Amino acid sequence: MAARDLQERIKKLIVDRRLPSGAPLPTEPELMVFLGASRNSVREALKALQAMGIVEIRHGFGTYVGPMSLAPMVEGLAFRTVAGHYRGEDSLLQLLELREAVETGLVSRLAGRLPEADLTELERLVVRMEREAAQGTGLAETDRAFHATLYRGLDNVLLSEVLEAFWDAFHRVQRDLVDVPQDARVTCRQHREILDAVRSGDSIRAEEAIRDHFGNVRARLSTTDTTDPQDPHTLHNERV
């Protein structure tokens, strides 16, 4: 039986039995009987599924349903962006535009609909961002927390995970490839505007605020001297 067929049958087993993350799978001998496959074939199928985060092999304990996280997606996006960069593509800019398209399409749905607790948390994060800007410290983690808090109001776990995956991939690649200058005051002002627009219930203003924020990042990316894609020393030192 083809390796891909075995993987699909194991995935179907997980779905049919409605097994949650962390649930034990049948033992290796049981899977061999169930699938009608050899030990080596079953092991190879499980290893492939582990690489996707679908199963987790705990040596000496057994095999369990994996976390089903989007970590493989982050790795794929990051590697695809780095590889594209070294081929001379504007791949980091393309990844930014992907984030922008998703967030712009979502923020208008939040205007006037966020619970007071989320608005209070967003206010706290903007104040913290303003304090960090005054101190000259980095804003990245506070910026990330702001966006995560903003979109959790949609009550969509998968959407939150996808946005987190885009963020992880973008900032990992940006850190490794490009030194993007940032005017912290502008960043703070833009996040304040996003919050004010969402709080006011003005969906058009909220969308414009998000576009303005991403437009600023895009402009900074476009004017930044990026790593020479032909430099073998830089390529050797990449961390993705």
Side-chain angles (χ1 to χ4, degrees):
M1 184 179 295
R4 185 61 181 269
D5 290 339
L6 289 179
Q7 294 169 35
E8 292 302 318
R9 290 186 62 191
I10 294 171
K11 289 193 289 186
K12 188 174 187 301
L13 180 151
I14 293 170
V15 172
D16 288 348
R17 298 188 183 181
R18 294 169 174 77
L19 299 177
S21 295
L25 286 175
T27 65
E28 198 173 84
E30 290 172 338
L31 284 175
M32 290 167 58
V33 173
F34 176 76
L35 299 170
S38 68
R39 183 181 301 273
N40 284 341
S41 296
V42 170
R43 286 182 175 177
E44 288 304 311
L46 290 174
K47 286 179 182 178
L49 292 174
Q50 180 172 240
M52 299 179 225
I54 294 173
V55 306
E56 180 183 357
I57 301 171
R58 302 177 191 172
H59 295 289
F61 295 94
T63 303
Y64 298 78
V65 179
M68 301 188 209
S69 75
L70 296 183
M73 177 180 172
V74 174
E75 293 297 328
L77 276 173
F79 182 76
R80 166 66 180 83
T81 303
V82 170
H85 175 82
Y86 283 106
R87 291 195 300 267
E89 300 172 5
D90 291 329
S91 54
L92 187 58
L93 194 57
Q94 292 169 11
L95 184 53
L96 177 70
E97 289 173 348
L98 177 59
R99 281 186 56 205
E100 180 182 7
V102 174
E103 293 200 31
T104 301
L106 295 173
V107 72
S108 62
R109 293 168 52 187
L110 296 169
R113 300 178 185 175
L114 282 186
E116 193 59 38
D118 285 356
L119 290 172
T120 299
E121 176 66 10
L122 289 168
E123 176 68 33
R124 186 187 69 80
L125 288 168
V126 171
V127 169
R128 189 170 89 188
M129 194 179 293
E130 291 167 345
R131 183 171 62 250
E132 290 169 343
Q135 295 170 346
T137 57
L139 307 180
E141 286 308 310
T142 309
D143 191 343
R144 177 184 189 141
F146 178 94
H147 287 261
T149 302
L150 180 64
Y151 294 108
R152 79 184 180 196
L154 293 170
D155 196 25
N156 185 321
V157 175
L158 180 59
L159 179 59
S160 296
E161 290 180 1
V162 168
L163 290 172
E164 283 286 297
F166 288 168
W167 179 282
D168 281 343
F170 179 82
H171 284 274
R172 183 188 307 182
V173 176
Q174 176 188 310
R175 182 187 65 236
D176 289 344
L177 290 182
V178 184
D179 182 17
V180 182
Q182 181 182 47
D183 187 330
R185 294 169 300 177
V186 171
T187 300
C188 291
R189 186 177 70 246
Q190 289 174 337
H191 284 80
R192 170 68 66 185
E193 173 60 20
I194 293 169
L195 172 56
D196 290 346
V198 169
R199 181 187 280 131
S200 73
D202 189 334
S203 59
I204 295 177
R205 178 184 168 195
E207 188 173 321
E208 289 175 346
I210 283 287
R211 288 190 185 281
D212 185 47
H213 174 47
F214 278 101
N216 177 53
V217 179
R218 185 167 53 250
R220 289 188 282 120
L221 272 179
S222 299
T223 58
T224 299
D225 290 331
T226 59
T227 309
D228 180 0
Q230 303 304 320
D231 184 352
H233 300 291
T234 306
L235 179 60
H236 178 73
N237 290 326
E238 284 308 324
R239 304 182 307 278
V240 292

